[in-house]
Amino acid sequence: MLGLDLLKEVPGLLEEIKALPLRLDEERFQFWLQQDYPFVEALYRYQVGLLLEAPQAHRAPLVQALMATVEELDWLLLQGASPSAPVHPVRAGYIALLEEMGRLPYAYRVVFFYFLNGLFLEAWAHHVPEEGPWAELSQHWFAPEFQAVLYDLEVLARGLWEDLDPEVVRTYLRRILEAEKATWSLLL
């Protein structure tokens, strides 16, 4: 699912996420969803920053991604998320990472935005069954419209990849993977 062979830059970390022995009971999962709201809100701000600097050719795909994020925020509210709920330290750490990445040059931010979206979907596809109580969520995240957005983000990332410093890329990919692992660990 993840293009650009980005995972080769940080070997083993996706496997660590996939090896987590998660418990998908309804109460724990509801807490996890509640904690997704502040992260997705921070992701919204990250995307707005991307749009402010985007060249004309990148704007349409980034606007589509932003709309998907707005729709996800609405959807999370329908699931009972509260914008004023306390933020778990794990999520606060990931939000801080997003804010830090928001200060990087545009090309890095696009590649990392693509990577964290694709990584989430890789982990989701591995951990969450398509059937049962989470079927609606799987349909939500694997809808053709969102897959088209992810494809467009990959095209943007591929166009920017060559000019990036490999060490900076490795450092942030590792940090994103560690933040994702910590987030998924909330379901242990």
Side-chain angles (χ1 to χ4, degrees):
M1 186 177 294
L2 286 176
L4 302 176
D5 296 323
L6 287 174
L7 288 171
K8 290 180 183 175
E9 299 293 329
V10 284
L13 285 174
L14 178 59
E15 288 72 27
E16 288 180 30
I17 293 172
K18 289 181 174 182
L20 292 171
L22 304 184
R23 295 183 327 210
L24 293 176
D25 63 72
E26 195 166 330
E27 183 179 329
R28 183 175 301 280
F29 198 75
Q30 189 61 35
F31 169 76
W32 190 80
L33 277 180
Q34 295 285 328
Q35 288 300 309
D36 201 34
Y37 187 89
F39 174 77
V40 176
E41 181 68 35
L43 192 59
Y44 167 82
R45 291 189 301 274
Y46 182 90
Q47 290 173 262
V48 168
L50 282 174
L51 274 169
L52 290 173
E53 292 183 45
Q56 180 62 34
H58 291 192
R59 289 180 185 162
L62 290 173
V63 166
Q64 291 171 350
L66 184 63
M67 283 305 302
T69 301
V70 168
E71 290 168 2
E72 185 169 344
L73 287 167
D74 290 342
W75 183 84
L76 286 166
L77 289 172
L78 289 172
Q79 304 309 307
S82 170
S84 61
V87 180
H88 190 280
V90 164
R91 292 313 252 170
Y94 206 164
I95 291 167
L97 176 58
L98 269 181
E99 290 169 351
E100 178 184 328
M101 291 186 326
R103 294 186 292 273
L104 293 171
Y106 174 80
Y108 289 99
R109 294 187 344 249
V110 170
V111 169
F112 298 150
F113 177 57
Y114 161 68
F115 180 73
L116 66 88
N117 274 284
L119 176 62
F120 171 79
L121 292 176
E122 282 279 344
W124 180 272
H126 178 79
H127 282 297
V128 182
E130 290 181 31
E131 303 294 323
W134 298 283
E136 179 185 349
L137 290 170
S138 289
Q139 291 167 2
H140 171 74
W141 279 309
F142 287 95
E145 300 82 12
F146 189 73
Q147 293 303 306
V149 168
L150 194 59
Y151 174 79
D152 289 343
L153 291 175
E154 181 177 354
V155 169
L156 294 182
R158 283 184 186 278
L160 298 167
W161 175 251
E162 295 299 321
D163 297 327
L164 303 183
D165 179 331
E167 191 53 41
V168 173
V169 170
R170 271 190 294 280
T171 297
Y172 278 97
L173 294 185
R174 188 175 298 109
R175 292 179 67 197
I176 292 167
L177 279 158
E178 289 167 356
E180 276 294 322
K181 181 181 177 185
T183 296
W184 284 96
S185 294
L186 293 174
L187 289 170
L188 291 175

